[in-house]
C-alpha cells in the first residue's frame, strides 16, 4: 500500500476562500464575527475539486491513500484573535471531513489547529487541545498540523518545546496521534513562503527538538518534519557535532525514536541524500501534491512533485526499505490509520 502522508486541500472550492476573506475583513474593521453557517459548499463541488485534482494524480501515480489536511499556507495564524483562528480551523477541518466521507479509504483527515501568536498563544493552545479531541474522536482524523511559527514569518513565539505547548502534547499522547510540524504562510517580505519560510521552518524546528528534553517528558510523542527535513539531512554532521560539543546524547538516540521525515524532495540527488542519511524507518512517503511546485521538470519529463517516480529511481534501497517508506512507517507513526482504513472497507 502506497500512503502519501502529506496532502493539502489546495484545490478547495472558491467559496472557502471568500468566506475566509470576509472573516478577516469583518474582524479587522469592527471586531465582528462571520458565522460558519454562511459558508455553503455542495458535495458536487467537493467531488469535482478532488476527482479533477488530487485523486486524478493519485490514481496516475499509484497512491492508495493520502493523509489530507487543510492548505498549510492558508492557515495564516496571525490573522484576528484566538476565536478567529478557532472558527477558521473548525470550518477547514469540517471540509476535510467531508472529503474523507465522500472518498472513504482514499483520504484520511489530518487537522489544522487554531493557533495564535503573542498573548493569545496559551489560550489558543487550549483551543487546539479541544479541536484535536473533536477531530480525532468525532471526525476520525489521525493526526494534526502544528505550526512552529504562528506569527507567520517573524518567529515571535516560544519554541515548540516550551511548556506552553505541554497541554497539547498531553492530549496527543493520550490520543496517540502525531503532528506534522508545518509552518504556514510568510508575511515577512524577506522570507518567500514555500522555498524560504517552509524550509527554514523545517530546519529551525529540528534544532529546537535537539536542544530540548521534550521526549524525556513525552517519550511516545511523534513528529513528522516535512519537505525532507529542510537542511537537516544535508547538515547531519553539523547537528551531530554540535550535540556532542554541548554534551547532549548522540543524535540518533536524541531524536530518531520520535522524529520522522517525509519525501517531499523534488530532485533525485536530494532524494538519494535523504534516504542515505536518514534511516529508512524514519522516512515516510509524501508528495505534497497539488502544492508548492506544480510544473513539469524539463530534466525528467515528470512533474516535480511526482516523488514516487523519484523514489523508484533510487537504486540503493532494499525491498524492506521501500516497504517501510511507502506505507509501513505511516501505519506505525499514525497508529489510528490502520483501523480507519479497515473501517472504510467494511
Amino acid at each position: 500500500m502506497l500512503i502519501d502522508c502529506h496532502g493539502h486541500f489546495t484545490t478547495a472550492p472558491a467559496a472557502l476562500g471568500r468566506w475566509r476573506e470576509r472573516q478577516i475583513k469583518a474582524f479587522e474593521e469592527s471586531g465582528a464575527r462571520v458565522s460558519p453557517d454562511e459558508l455553503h459548499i455542495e458535495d458536487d463541488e467537493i467531488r469535482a475539486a478532488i476527482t479533477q485534482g488530487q485523486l486524478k494524480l493519485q490514481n496516475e501515480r499509484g497512491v492508495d491513500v493520502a493523509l489530507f489536511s487543510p492548505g498549510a499556507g492558508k492557515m495564516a495564524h496571525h490573522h484576528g484573535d484566538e476565536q478567529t483562528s478557532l472558527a477558521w480551523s473548525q470550518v477547514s477541518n469540517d471540509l476535510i471531513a467531508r472529503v474523507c466521507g465522500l472518498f472513504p479509504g482514499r483520504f484520511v483527515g489530518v487537522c489544522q489547529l487554531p493557533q495564535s501568536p503573542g498573548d493569545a498563544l496559551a489560550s489558543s493552545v487550549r483551543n487546539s487541545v479541544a479541536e484535536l479531541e473533536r477531530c480525532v474522536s468525532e471526525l476520525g482524523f489521525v493526526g494534526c498540523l502544528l505550526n512552529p511559527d504562528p506569527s507567520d514569518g517573524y518567529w515571535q513565539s516560544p519554541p515548540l518545546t516550551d511548556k506552553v505547548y505541554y497541554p497539547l502534547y498531553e492530549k496527543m499522547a493520550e490520543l496517540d496521534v502525531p503532528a506534522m510540524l508545518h509552518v504556514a504562510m510568510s508575511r515577512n517580505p524577506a522570507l518567500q513562503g514555500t522555498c524560504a519560510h517552509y524550509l527554514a521552518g523545517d530546519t529551525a524546528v529540528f534544532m529546537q527538538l535537539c536542544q530540548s528534553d521534550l521526549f524525556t517528558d513525552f517519550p511516545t510523542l511523534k513528529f513528522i518534519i516535512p519537505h525532507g527535513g529542510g537542511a537537516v539531512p544535508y547538515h547531519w554532521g553539523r547537528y551531530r557535532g554540535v550535540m556532542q560539543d554541548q554534551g547532549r546524547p548522540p543524535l540518533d538516540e536524541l531524536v530518531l525514536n520520535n522524529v520522522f521525515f517525509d519525501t517531499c524532495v523534488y530532485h533525485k540527488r536530494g532524494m538519494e541524500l535523504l534516504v542515505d542519511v536518514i534511516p529508512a524507518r524514519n522516512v515516510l512517503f509524501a508528495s505534497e501534491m497539488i502544492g508548492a511546485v506544480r510544473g513539469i521538470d524539463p530534466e525528467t519529463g515528470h512533474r516535480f512533485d511526482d516523488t514516487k517516480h523519484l523514489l523508484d529511481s533510487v537504486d540503493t534501497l532494499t525491498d524492506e526499505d521501500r516497504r517501510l517508506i511507502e506505507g509501513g512507517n505511516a501505519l506505525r507513526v499514525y497508529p489510528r490509520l490502520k483501523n480507519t482504513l479497515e473501517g472504510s472497507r467494511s
Side-chain angles (χ1 to χ4, degrees), residues 11-129:
T11 61
L16 179 68
R18 291 194 295 267
W19 184 92
R20 174 63 161 164
E21 290 172 3
R22 293 198 307 274
Q23 185 202 33
I24 294 170
K25 183 178 180 180
F27 183 83
E28 290 179 347
E29 291 182 348
S30 65
R33 308 290 182 183
V34 176
S35 172
D37 293 337
E38 295 182 24
L39 174 61
H40 301 287
I41 297 175
E42 301 296 329
D43 285 354
D44 284 347
E45 295 179 80
I46 299 173
R47 289 191 186 94
I50 292 294
T51 57
Q52 296 169 20
Q54 285 84 358
L55 190 59
K56 177 177 181 291
L57 295 179
Q58 286 176 210
N59 290 336
E60 290 176 359
R61 300 174 191 180
V63 175
D64 296 294
V65 184
L67 303 188
F68 209 51
S69 59
K74 294 179 180 178
M75 293 189 297
H77 287 118
H78 71 277
H79 283 300
D81 61 4
E82 63 267 36
Q83 290 303 313
T84 306
S85 189
L86 178 59
W88 175 229
S89 295
Q90 291 172 337
V91 163
S92 300
N93 293 331
D94 287 346
L95 185 59
I96 294 298
R98 291 177 65 188
V99 172
C100 298
L102 290 169
F103 299 93
R106 301 305 304 272
F107 296 91
V108 176
V110 170
C111 68
Q112 171 179 319
L113 296 177
Q115 298 173 249
S116 290
D119 292 340
L121 178 61
S123 58
S124 77
V125 169
R126 291 192 292 271
N127 287 340
S128 294
V129 170

Side-chain angles (χ1 to χ4, degrees), residues 19-290:
W19 184 92
R20 174 63 161 164
E21 290 172 3
R22 293 198 307 274
Q23 185 202 33
I24 294 170
K25 183 178 180 180
F27 183 83
E28 290 179 347
E29 291 182 348
S30 65
R33 308 290 182 183
V34 176
S35 172
D37 293 337
E38 295 182 24
L39 174 61
H40 301 287
I41 297 175
E42 301 296 329
D43 285 354
D44 284 347
E45 295 179 80
I46 299 173
R47 289 191 186 94
I50 292 294
T51 57
Q52 296 169 20
Q54 285 84 358
L55 190 59
K56 177 177 181 291
L57 295 179
Q58 286 176 210
N59 290 336
E60 290 176 359
R61 300 174 191 180
V63 175
D64 296 294
V65 184
L67 303 188
F68 209 51
S69 59
K74 294 179 180 178
M75 293 189 297
H77 287 118
H78 71 277
H79 283 300
D81 61 4
E82 63 267 36
Q83 290 303 313
T84 306
S85 189
L86 178 59
W88 175 229
S89 295
Q90 291 172 337
V91 163
S92 300
N93 293 331
D94 287 346
L95 185 59
I96 294 298
R98 291 177 65 188
V99 172
C100 298
L102 290 169
F103 299 93
R106 301 305 304 272
F107 296 91
V108 176
V110 170
C111 68
Q112 171 179 319
L113 296 177
Q115 298 173 249
S116 290
D119 292 340
L121 178 61
S123 58
S124 77
V125 169
R126 291 192 292 271
N127 287 340
S128 294
V129 170
E131 180 62 3
L132 179 63
E133 173 82 61
R134 182 183 80 93
C135 287
V136 172
S137 300
E138 298 179 20
L139 304 182
F141 287 20
V142 299
C144 61
L145 301 180
L146 178 58
N147 182 358
D149 174 32
S151 68
D152 291 333
Y154 287 99
W155 292 88
Q156 295 168 333
S157 297
L160 285 185
T161 53
D162 190 273
K163 290 193 175 180
V164 70
Y165 288 102
Y166 272 33
L168 176 63
Y169 299 150
E170 290 168 1
K171 181 57 66 174
M172 287 173 56
E174 175 191 327
L175 296 173
D176 202 10
V177 296
M180 177 172 281
L181 305 181
H182 202 309
V183 295
M185 64 171 292
S186 172
R187 59 188 174 116
N188 184 339
L191 282 177
Q192 188 271 348
T194 54
C195 292
H197 184 48
Y198 277 22
L199 303 184
D202 303 332
T203 306
V205 76
F206 181 75
M207 193 60 185
Q208 292 178 8
L209 299 174
C210 288
Q211 291 186 298
S212 81
D213 294 314
L214 180 64
F215 300 129
T216 300
D217 293 340
F218 296 96
T220 65
L221 205 60
K222 293 183 177 64
F223 293 135
I224 302 92
I225 300 182
H227 319 115
V232 172
Y234 190 70
H235 287 290
W236 196 252
R238 177 178 291 243
Y239 289 103
R240 288 178 51 242
V242 168
M243 292 302 99
Q244 179 175 292
D245 289 347
Q246 294 181 358
R248 301 284 288 162
L251 195 57
D252 291 10
E253 176 185 325
L254 189 62
V255 295
L256 287 185
N257 288 325
N258 307 85
V259 179
F260 304 83
F261 302 82
D262 78 14
T263 65
C264 290
V265 180
Y266 294 160
H267 69 133
K268 180 179 178 180
R269 283 177 288 180
M271 187 73 77
E272 290 173 331
L273 175 70
L274 172 67
V275 299
D276 182 51
V277 173
I278 305 300
R281 64 184 174 84
N282 288 84
V283 179
L284 278 66
F285 176 77
S287 68
E288 203 180 2
M289 66 176 177
I290 302 167

